[in-house]
Amino acid sequence: MNRMMRHYLFWPLCVLGALLLFNLLYSPDFFSIVLRDGHLYGSLIDILNFGAPLVLVAIGMTLVIATKGIDLSVGSIVAISGAIACLSISKGSDQSSLGLVMTAILSSLALSLVLGLWNGFLVAGAGIQPIIATLILMVAGRGIAQLVTSGQIITVDSSTYEYIGAGSLATLPFSIFIVAAMLIVALLLTRKTALGLFIESVGSNPTASRLAGIRSNMVIMSVYIFCGLCAGIAGLLLSSNVSSADGNNAGLWYELDAILAVVIGGTSLNGGRFYLMGTVIGALIIQTLTTTIYMIGVPPEITLVVKSVVVLAVCLIQSETFRSTIMTRWKTRNYPGEKEVVRHVP
Amino acid sequence: MSLNRKFIPILVTFGLFVVMFAAGSFRYTGFFSLQVLMNLLIDNAFLLITAVGMSFVILSGGIDLSVGSIIALTTMVSASLVQQQGWPPVVVIPLVLVMGAVFGYGMGAIIHYFKIQPFIVTLAGMFLARGLCYVISIDTITIDNAFYTSVAQTKIHLPGGSFVSISVIIALVVIAAAIYIAHYTRFGRNVYALGGSEQSALLMGLPVARTKILVYTLSGFCSALAGVVFTFYMLSGYGLHAVGLELDTIAAVVIGGTLLTGGVGYVIGTFFGVMIQGIIQTIISFEGTLSSWWTKIVIGLLLFFFILLQRLLIARRSTLKL
């Protein structure tokens, strides 16, 4: 039992379980999944489908945070990637043609790789603090996305493109498979090769790892590129789900949600240790929370207050000082004798 | 004349401002006037006040992401109390100022006592303040209170036919006070010491806890004051006011030559950082054909340029030391 409680997934899973249980008690048909025209429908499927972009972004963010960095530009990359894809599709004569959609997807993915490379270059090459280096793209990126879309919402009418975010494979939404594929790639790369170890080593001490023979800069560079790619795919999912690109609002505040998911999943912001599965659970918790708040009829805007309280609570629990303060309080309350201080009277 | 290296960023900022203003004056008719300069102040008074608070935070080596949300919360609380509850502005304005300061105090205390990164605490503060706005109302509350409208419409005429608003006076007073506090008081020196090295500040016996918490309190207070000015400017309260302002503010401080690692910088630099952002917007609106999104791209590029400049200066200093 004790070993189970120590497991890093224990608390995140408890929270997720509690949320689901609450939903079950509140509305019993929460868990009902129906099969209609070969597609599965239900709240649980919705959570997976709508949470897919967040899970993707959060996976990339986990690796960045593991190197003691942070990527604030993911929301902007989401917007840019969706905008580029929709723009190139909307220019084609036959919007559903496979070739056109593939070109659009590949060009926006290539661009997100470049944007990730830019972040990585600033952090590893120029040695700028990650918060600030990615802040540049966060500010300028939204401008670029709005420039691409000319400030309007570009709508596309392409059944092929729509399949990515809204289509379904084997009765499940296709987006789930994309996320699963990326997750498996990330898990294999970090847990079956030495890369994961390198990332953790760089996160704890970049200089020491460089002296030990790890090319720290390359590792840092590659996690930012990976994070950019994840955000790019998330942008495709989001824009294809609604068949439109909105440079202003797509991916707004995604960076905050992604960081929150990573922190809930047990990854410390101090770097050096990361849990990809924890992040996935964290992202699902956020999505379930949002869905729950919608369902119980509370205005969706309250989500922000709830999220902020969750962030603070999780951070406080992670804080060594906070825990020791609470423990001392609790102990001195139970043993009042320890409270007595011998006063030195001059 | 040997130039002190710590003045280079601020001189670059000032030079850039002059070049941009000169370029605008040559290119567009009607650009070269006192009123255009005054409009920079009128339209950016709230940004100036926020950036002053942020300067102290960044000088101390921290960061405050909650400023934009606190501004929105201030407009929202003022609007709902004045408009819906009918409270007099004399009570409401001090109340929201205290509220902002308490908000900042709380964040500072958590940052210091529980040793959580300022970035994450103020992020939570940002969510919280934005969320509280929506708890009050999700719609815009328009203010037609006599006091607010009269303050908003008052024009203070200057010699030469130009005018400024009351907000500009508030902003200039804040700037003057901040210059005094930062460079001529014990608190100001403590902030610089804290930003230089927290360990050393602690070993020197400086009141690290008090300084750190006060810095965030000051930033919260400045944001609330900026919110009051913003209420005069917009005459409404809305939960989506000042979205993304924290980034503009950080950009202004950085462009103003303050080192993001803390300890180096001048309040007057922040003033010119804000003015540069304002003049970019003015040039873009004079150009007419350029879309306003270019503002963000240009600010991003400037941010990049100034950060690289800072890196170069630091690199040179550390090689000199060796």
Side-chain angles (χ1 to χ4, degrees), chain A residues 83-116:
Chain A
I84 291 282
C86 286
L87 185 74
S88 23
I89 290 175
S90 69
K91 279 187 179 151
S93 49
D94 176 21
Q95 299 198 353
S96 295
S97 84
L98 190 63
L100 179 73
V101 172
M102 284 315 280
T103 332
I105 292 174
L106 287 180
S107 56
S108 69
L109 289 186
L111 188 69
S112 23
L113 279 178
V114 171
L115 293 175

PDB file of all heavy atoms in Angstrom, chain A residues 83-116:
ATOM      1  N   ALA A  83      -2.804  28.213 -38.966  1.00  0.00           N
ATOM      2  CA  ALA A  83      -3.030  29.267 -39.953  1.00  0.00           C
ATOM      3  C   ALA A  83      -2.379  28.918 -41.286  1.00  0.00           C
ATOM      4  O   ALA A  83      -2.992  29.056 -42.347  1.00  0.00           O
ATOM      5  CB  ALA A  83      -2.481  30.592 -39.432  1.00  0.00           C
ATOM      6  N   ILE A  84      -1.124  28.430 -41.240  1.00  0.00           N
ATOM      7  CA  ILE A  84      -0.406  28.096 -42.477  1.00  0.00           C
ATOM      8  C   ILE A  84      -1.126  26.978 -43.226  1.00  0.00           C
ATOM      9  O   ILE A  84      -1.358  27.059 -44.432  1.00  0.00           O
ATOM     10  CB  ILE A  84       1.040  27.647 -42.146  1.00  0.00           C
ATOM     11  CG1 ILE A  84       1.862  28.826 -41.632  1.00  0.00           C
ATOM     12  CG2 ILE A  84       1.713  27.040 -43.365  1.00  0.00           C
ATOM     13  CD1 ILE A  84       2.334  29.760 -42.701  1.00  0.00           C
ATOM     14  N   ALA A  85      -1.528  25.927 -42.462  1.00  0.00           N
ATOM     15  CA  ALA A  85      -2.192  24.793 -43.108  1.00  0.00           C
ATOM     16  C   ALA A  85      -3.483  25.255 -43.774  1.00  0.00           C
ATOM     17  O   ALA A  85      -3.733  24.951 -44.941  1.00  0.00           O
ATOM     18  CB  ALA A  85      -2.474  23.701 -42.078  1.00  0.00           C
ATOM     19  N   CYS A  86      -4.299  26.023 -43.037  1.00  0.00           N
ATOM     20  CA  CYS A  86      -5.581  26.452 -43.594  1.00  0.00           C
ATOM     21  C   CYS A  86      -5.379  27.384 -44.775  1.00  0.00           C
ATOM     22  O   CYS A  86      -6.122  27.331 -45.748  1.00  0.00           O
ATOM     23  CB  CYS A  86      -6.434  27.133 -42.526  1.00  0.00           C
ATOM     24  SG  CYS A  86      -7.117  25.949 -41.377  1.00  0.00           S
ATOM     25  N   LEU A  87      -4.354  28.237 -44.678  1.00  0.00           N
ATOM     26  CA  LEU A  87      -4.111  29.186 -45.773  1.00  0.00           C
ATOM     27  C   LEU A  87      -3.760  28.425 -47.048  1.00  0.00           C
ATOM     28  O   LEU A  87      -4.323  28.690 -48.117  1.00  0.00           O
ATOM     29  CB  LEU A  87      -2.981  30.145 -45.402  1.00  0.00           C
ATOM     30  CG  LEU A  87      -2.736  31.235 -46.422  1.00  0.00           C
ATOM     31  CD1 LEU A  87      -3.831  32.277 -46.354  1.00  0.00           C
ATOM     32  CD2 LEU A  87      -1.384  31.896 -46.213  1.00  0.00           C
ATOM     33  N   SER A  88      -2.836  27.433 -46.941  1.00  0.00           N
ATOM     34  CA  SER A  88      -2.434  26.757 -48.174  1.00  0.00           C
ATOM     35  C   SER A  88      -3.577  25.908 -48.728  1.00  0.00           C
ATOM     36  O   SER A  88      -3.692  25.776 -49.944  1.00  0.00           O
ATOM     37  CB  SER A  88      -1.160  25.926 -47.978  1.00  0.00           C
ATOM     38  OG  SER A  88      -0.972  25.589 -46.655  1.00  0.00           O
ATOM     39  N   ILE A  89      -4.422  25.358 -47.848  1.00  0.00           N
ATOM     40  CA  ILE A  89      -5.548  24.568 -48.369  1.00  0.00           C
ATOM     41  C   ILE A  89      -6.567  25.487 -49.048  1.00  0.00           C
ATOM     42  O   ILE A  89      -7.083  25.178 -50.125  1.00  0.00           O
ATOM     43  CB  ILE A  89      -6.206  23.762 -47.242  1.00  0.00           C
ATOM     44  CG1 ILE A  89      -5.255  22.654 -46.790  1.00  0.00           C
ATOM     45  CG2 ILE A  89      -7.512  23.156 -47.713  1.00  0.00           C
ATOM     46  CD1 ILE A  89      -5.733  21.883 -45.618  1.00  0.00           C
ATOM     47  N   SER A  90      -6.825  26.644 -48.414  1.00  0.00           N
ATOM     48  CA  SER A  90      -7.876  27.508 -48.948  1.00  0.00           C
ATOM     49  C   SER A  90      -7.505  28.086 -50.307  1.00  0.00           C
ATOM     50  O   SER A  90      -8.354  28.559 -51.049  1.00  0.00           O
ATOM     51  CB  SER A  90      -8.173  28.649 -47.979  1.00  0.00           C
ATOM     52  OG  SER A  90      -7.078  29.518 -47.935  1.00  0.00           O
ATOM     53  N   LYS A  91      -6.208  28.026 -50.677  1.00  0.00           N
ATOM     54  CA  LYS A  91      -5.802  28.574 -51.969  1.00  0.00           C
ATOM     55  C   LYS A  91      -5.985  27.567 -53.096  1.00  0.00           C
ATOM     56  O   LYS A  91      -5.970  27.932 -54.267  1.00  0.00           O
ATOM     57  CB  LYS A  91      -4.339  29.030 -51.915  1.00  0.00           C
ATOM     58  CG  LYS A  91      -4.193  30.397 -51.281  1.00  0.00           C
ATOM     59  CD  LYS A  91      -2.779  30.901 -51.401  1.00  0.00           C
ATOM     60  CE  LYS A  91      -2.647  32.272 -50.781  1.00  0.00           C
ATOM     61  NZ  LYS A  91      -1.305  32.487 -50.284  1.00  0.00           N
ATOM     62  N   GLY A  92      -6.109  26.264 -52.736  1.00  0.00           N
ATOM     63  CA  GLY A  92      -6.198  25.228 -53.760  1.00  0.00           C
ATOM     64  C   GLY A  92      -7.548  25.233 -54.464  1.00  0.00           C
ATOM     65  O   GLY A  92      -8.540  25.700 -53.922  1.00  0.00           O
ATOM     66  N   SER A  93      -7.577  24.701 -55.691  1.00  0.00           N
ATOM     67  CA  SER A  93      -8.847  24.655 -56.426  1.00  0.00           C
ATOM     68  C   SER A  93      -9.705  23.521 -55.885  1.00  0.00           C
ATOM     69  O   SER A  93     -10.894  23.705 -55.602  1.00  0.00           O
ATOM     70  CB  SER A  93      -8.578  24.468 -57.921  1.00  0.00           C
ATOM     71  OG  SER A  93      -7.673  23.393 -58.095  1.00  0.00           O
ATOM     72  N   ASP A  94      -9.110  22.347 -55.719  1.00  0.00           N
ATOM     73  CA  ASP A  94      -9.846  21.238 -55.122  1.00  0.00           C
ATOM     74  C   ASP A  94      -9.321  21.051 -53.696  1.00  0.00           C
ATOM     75  O   ASP A  94      -8.266  20.481 -53.498  1.00  0.00           O
ATOM     76  CB  ASP A  94      -9.641  19.961 -55.950  1.00  0.00           C
ATOM     77  CG  ASP A  94     -10.318  18.784 -55.275  1.00  0.00           C
ATOM     78  OD1 ASP A  94     -11.223  19.017 -54.449  1.00  0.00           O
ATOM     79  OD2 ASP A  94      -9.926  17.631 -55.578  1.00  0.00           O
ATOM     80  N   GLN A  95     -10.077  21.576 -52.735  1.00  0.00           N
ATOM     81  CA  GLN A  95      -9.560  21.610 -51.377  1.00  0.00           C
ATOM     82  C   GLN A  95      -9.436  20.230 -50.752  1.00  0.00           C
ATOM     83  O   GLN A  95      -8.744  20.051 -49.768  1.00  0.00           O
ATOM     84  CB  GLN A  95     -10.456  22.493 -50.510  1.00  0.00           C
ATOM     85  CG  GLN A  95     -10.493  23.925 -51.004  1.00  0.00           C
ATOM     86  CD  GLN A  95     -10.991  24.880 -49.954  1.00  0.00           C
ATOM     87  OE1 GLN A  95     -11.428  24.472 -48.889  1.00  0.00           O
ATOM     88  NE2 GLN A  95     -10.933  26.162 -50.255  1.00  0.00           N
ATOM     89  N   SER A  96     -10.141  19.250 -51.300  1.00  0.00           N
ATOM     90  CA  SER A  96     -10.103  17.928 -50.671  1.00  0.00           C
ATOM     91  C   SER A  96      -9.011  17.040 -51.234  1.00  0.00           C
ATOM     92  O   SER A  96      -8.842  15.919 -50.767  1.00  0.00           O
ATOM     93  CB  SER A  96     -11.452  17.233 -50.847  1.00  0.00           C
ATOM     94  OG  SER A  96     -12.433  17.950 -50.147  1.00  0.00           O
ATOM     95  N   SER A  97      -8.274  17.511 -52.251  1.00  0.00           N
ATOM     96  CA  SER A  97      -7.304  16.617 -52.871  1.00  0.00           C
ATOM     97  C   SER A  97      -6.198  16.267 -51.876  1.00  0.00           C
ATOM     98  O   SER A  97      -5.716  17.117 -51.120  1.00  0.00           O
ATOM     99  CB  SER A  97      -6.704  17.264 -54.124  1.00  0.00           C
ATOM    100  OG  SER A  97      -5.640  18.111 -53.753  1.00  0.00           O
ATOM    101  N   LEU A  98      -5.828  15.002 -51.895  1.00  0.00           N
ATOM    102  CA  LEU A  98      -4.900  14.482 -50.888  1.00  0.00           C
ATOM    103  C   LEU A  98      -3.540  15.172 -50.979  1.00  0.00           C
ATOM    104  O   LEU A  98      -2.931  15.510 -49.975  1.00  0.00           O
ATOM    105  CB  LEU A  98      -4.753  12.970 -51.068  1.00  0.00           C
ATOM    106  CG  LEU A  98      -4.003  12.247 -49.947  1.00  0.00           C
ATOM    107  CD1 LEU A  98      -4.761  12.389 -48.638  1.00  0.00           C
ATOM    108  CD2 LEU A  98      -3.800  10.794 -50.289  1.00  0.00           C
ATOM    109  N   GLY A  99      -3.095  15.390 -52.222  1.00  0.00           N
ATOM    110  CA  GLY A  99      -1.787  15.996 -52.417  1.00  0.00           C
ATOM    111  C   GLY A  99      -1.705  17.371 -51.784  1.00  0.00           C
ATOM    112  O   GLY A  99      -0.755  17.694 -51.055  1.00  0.00           O
ATOM    113  N   LEU A 100      -2.751  18.177 -51.998  1.00  0.00           N
ATOM    114  CA  LEU A 100      -2.772  19.530 -51.459  1.00  0.00           C
ATOM    115  C   LEU A 100      -2.735  19.498 -49.935  1.00  0.00           C
ATOM    116  O   LEU A 100      -1.956  20.216 -49.293  1.00  0.00           O
ATOM    117  CB  LEU A 100      -4.041  20.252 -51.937  1.00  0.00           C
ATOM    118  CG  LEU A 100      -4.205  21.673 -51.432  1.00  0.00           C
ATOM    119  CD1 LEU A 100      -3.233  22.586 -52.135  1.00  0.00           C
ATOM    120  CD2 LEU A 100      -5.626  22.152 -51.640  1.00  0.00           C
ATOM    121  N   VAL A 101      -3.562  18.629 -49.346  1.00  0.00           N
ATOM    122  CA  VAL A 101      -3.619  18.565 -47.889  1.00  0.00           C
ATOM    123  C   VAL A 101      -2.286  18.107 -47.320  1.00  0.00           C
ATOM    124  O   VAL A 101      -1.798  18.664 -46.333  1.00  0.00           O
ATOM    125  CB  VAL A 101      -4.769  17.625 -47.448  1.00  0.00           C
ATOM    126  CG1 VAL A 101      -4.727  17.398 -45.956  1.00  0.00           C
ATOM    127  CG2 VAL A 101      -6.099  18.206 -47.861  1.00  0.00           C
ATOM    128  N   MET A 102      -1.662  17.112 -48.007  1.00  0.00           N
ATOM    129  CA  MET A 102      -0.369  16.634 -47.516  1.00  0.00           C
ATOM    130  C   MET A 102       0.673  17.751 -47.570  1.00  0.00           C
ATOM    131  O   MET A 102       1.447  17.950 -46.623  1.00  0.00           O
ATOM    132  CB  MET A 102       0.119  15.446 -48.366  1.00  0.00           C
ATOM    133  CG  MET A 102      -0.575  14.130 -48.079  1.00  0.00           C
ATOM    134  SD  MET A 102      -0.752  13.787 -46.338  1.00  0.00           S
ATOM    135  CE  MET A 102       0.890  13.185 -45.974  1.00  0.00           C
ATOM    136  N   THR A 103       0.683  18.507 -48.675  1.00  0.00           N
ATOM    137  CA  THR A 103       1.634  19.627 -48.772  1.00  0.00           C
ATOM    138  C   THR A 103       1.392  20.621 -47.655  1.00  0.00           C
ATOM    139  O   THR A 103       2.338  21.102 -47.015  1.00  0.00           O
ATOM    140  CB  THR A 103       1.458  20.362 -50.130  1.00  0.00           C
ATOM    141  OG1 THR A 103       0.977  19.450 -51.077  1.00  0.00           O
ATOM    142  CG2 THR A 103       2.747  20.999 -50.565  1.00  0.00           C
ATOM    143  N   ALA A 104       0.107  20.932 -47.428  1.00  0.00           N
ATOM    144  CA  ALA A 104      -0.223  21.911 -46.386  1.00  0.00           C
ATOM    145  C   ALA A 104       0.279  21.429 -45.027  1.00  0.00           C
ATOM    146  O   ALA A 104       0.916  22.171 -44.269  1.00  0.00           O
ATOM    147  CB  ALA A 104      -1.724  22.129 -46.342  1.00  0.00           C
ATOM    148  N   ILE A 105       0.019  20.146 -44.739  1.00  0.00           N
ATOM    149  CA  ILE A 105       0.412  19.602 -43.435  1.00  0.00           C
ATOM    150  C   ILE A 105       1.928  19.629 -43.295  1.00  0.00           C
ATOM    151  O   ILE A 105       2.475  20.084 -42.286  1.00  0.00           O
ATOM    152  CB  ILE A 105      -0.131  18.167 -43.271  1.00  0.00           C
ATOM    153  CG1 ILE A 105      -1.657  18.199 -43.157  1.00  0.00           C
ATOM    154  CG2 ILE A 105       0.477  17.493 -42.071  1.00  0.00           C
ATOM    155  CD1 ILE A 105      -2.281  16.842 -43.140  1.00  0.00           C
ATOM    156  N   LEU A 106       2.597  19.147 -44.366  1.00  0.00           N
ATOM    157  CA  LEU A 106       4.054  19.081 -44.274  1.00  0.00           C
ATOM    158  C   LEU A 106       4.654  20.469 -44.135  1.00  0.00           C
ATOM    159  O   LEU A 106       5.597  20.666 -43.361  1.00  0.00           O
ATOM    160  CB  LEU A 106       4.617  18.367 -45.506  1.00  0.00           C
ATOM    161  CG  LEU A 106       4.370  16.856 -45.499  1.00  0.00           C
ATOM    162  CD1 LEU A 106       4.951  16.213 -46.744  1.00  0.00           C
ATOM    163  CD2 LEU A 106       4.976  16.234 -44.244  1.00  0.00           C
ATOM    164  N   SER A 107       4.100  21.458 -44.869  1.00  0.00           N
ATOM    165  CA  SER A 107       4.710  22.792 -44.772  1.00  0.00           C
ATOM    166  C   SER A 107       4.509  23.374 -43.381  1.00  0.00           C
ATOM    167  O   SER A 107       5.410  24.012 -42.834  1.00  0.00           O
ATOM    168  CB  SER A 107       4.155  23.722 -45.849  1.00  0.00           C
ATOM    169  OG  SER A 107       2.768  23.778 -45.764  1.00  0.00           O
ATOM    170  N   SER A 108       3.328  23.150 -42.787  1.00  0.00           N
ATOM    171  CA  SER A 108       3.148  23.748 -41.460  1.00  0.00           C
ATOM    172  C   SER A 108       3.977  23.004 -40.418  1.00  0.00           C
ATOM    173  O   SER A 108       4.467  23.617 -39.461  1.00  0.00           O
ATOM    174  CB  SER A 108       1.668  23.810 -41.073  1.00  0.00           C
ATOM    175  OG  SER A 108       1.182  22.539 -40.841  1.00  0.00           O
ATOM    176  N   LEU A 109       4.163  21.682 -40.617  1.00  0.00           N
ATOM    177  CA  LEU A 109       5.021  20.961 -39.665  1.00  0.00           C
ATOM    178  C   LEU A 109       6.472  21.409 -39.804  1.00  0.00           C
ATOM    179  O   LEU A 109       7.177  21.578 -38.809  1.00  0.00           O
ATOM    180  CB  LEU A 109       4.908  19.453 -39.877  1.00  0.00           C
ATOM    181  CG  LEU A 109       3.579  18.843 -39.435  1.00  0.00           C
ATOM    182  CD1 LEU A 109       3.623  17.332 -39.547  1.00  0.00           C
ATOM    183  CD2 LEU A 109       3.254  19.255 -38.014  1.00  0.00           C
ATOM    184  N   ALA A 110       6.895  21.631 -41.051  1.00  0.00           N
ATOM    185  CA  ALA A 110       8.270  22.092 -41.272  1.00  0.00           C
ATOM    186  C   ALA A 110       8.468  23.438 -40.597  1.00  0.00           C
ATOM    187  O   ALA A 110       9.493  23.685 -39.942  1.00  0.00           O
ATOM    188  CB  ALA A 110       8.547  22.206 -42.767  1.00  0.00           C
ATOM    189  N   LEU A 111       7.450  24.308 -40.715  1.00  0.00           N
ATOM    190  CA  LEU A 111       7.568  25.628 -40.105  1.00  0.00           C
ATOM    191  C   LEU A 111       7.644  25.510 -38.584  1.00  0.00           C
ATOM    192  O   LEU A 111       8.439  26.208 -37.935  1.00  0.00           O
ATOM    193  CB  LEU A 111       6.386  26.508 -40.505  1.00  0.00           C
ATOM    194  CG  LEU A 111       6.550  27.943 -40.058  1.00  0.00           C
ATOM    195  CD1 LEU A 111       7.653  28.621 -40.836  1.00  0.00           C
ATOM    196  CD2 LEU A 111       5.260  28.723 -40.207  1.00  0.00           C
ATOM    197  N   SER A 112       6.844  24.596 -38.003  1.00  0.00           N
ATOM    198  CA  SER A 112       6.901  24.495 -36.532  1.00  0.00           C
ATOM    199  C   SER A 112       8.242  23.938 -36.075  1.00  0.00           C
ATOM    200  O   SER A 112       8.728  24.300 -35.003  1.00  0.00           O
ATOM    201  CB  SER A 112       5.736  23.679 -35.965  1.00  0.00           C
ATOM    202  OG  SER A 112       5.191  22.817 -36.887  1.00  0.00           O
ATOM    203  N   LEU A 113       8.834  23.061 -36.912  1.00  0.00           N
ATOM    204  CA  LEU A 113      10.191  22.591 -36.592  1.00  0.00           C
ATOM    205  C   LEU A 113      11.160  23.763 -36.568  1.00  0.00           C
ATOM    206  O   LEU A 113      12.002  23.885 -35.678  1.00  0.00           O
ATOM    207  CB  LEU A 113      10.657  21.574 -37.637  1.00  0.00           C
ATOM    208  CG  LEU A 113      10.156  20.147 -37.473  1.00  0.00           C
ATOM    209  CD1 LEU A 113      10.666  19.281 -38.613  1.00  0.00           C
ATOM    210  CD2 LEU A 113      10.623  19.585 -36.149  1.00  0.00           C
ATOM    211  N   VAL A 114      11.022  24.650 -37.578  1.00  0.00           N
ATOM    212  CA  VAL A 114      11.921  25.803 -37.653  1.00  0.00           C
ATOM    213  C   VAL A 114      11.728  26.708 -36.427  1.00  0.00           C
ATOM    214  O   VAL A 114      12.697  27.184 -35.823  1.00  0.00           O
ATOM    215  CB  VAL A 114      11.669  26.597 -38.957  1.00  0.00           C
ATOM    216  CG1 VAL A 114      12.429  27.909 -38.943  1.00  0.00           C
ATOM    217  CG2 VAL A 114      12.067  25.763 -40.155  1.00  0.00           C
ATOM    218  N   LEU A 115      10.459  26.909 -36.033  1.00  0.00           N
ATOM    219  CA  LEU A 115      10.186  27.759 -34.877  1.00  0.00           C
ATOM    220  C   LEU A 115      10.785  27.143 -33.605  1.00  0.00           C
ATOM    221  O   LEU A 115      11.345  27.840 -32.765  1.00  0.00           O
ATOM    222  CB  LEU A 115       8.683  27.975 -34.709  1.00  0.00           C
ATOM    223  CG  LEU A 115       8.035  28.801 -35.828  1.00  0.00           C
ATOM    224  CD1 LEU A 115       6.527  28.861 -35.640  1.00  0.00           C
ATOM    225  CD2 LEU A 115       8.612  30.200 -35.854  1.00  0.00           C
ATOM    226  N   GLY A 116      10.666  25.803 -33.493  1.00  0.00           N
ATOM    227  CA  GLY A 116      11.270  25.127 -32.352  1.00  0.00           C
ATOM    228  C   GLY A 116      12.777  25.274 -32.360  1.00  0.00           C
ATOM    229  O   GLY A 116      13.409  25.500 -31.329  1.00  0.00           O
TER     230      GLY A 116
END
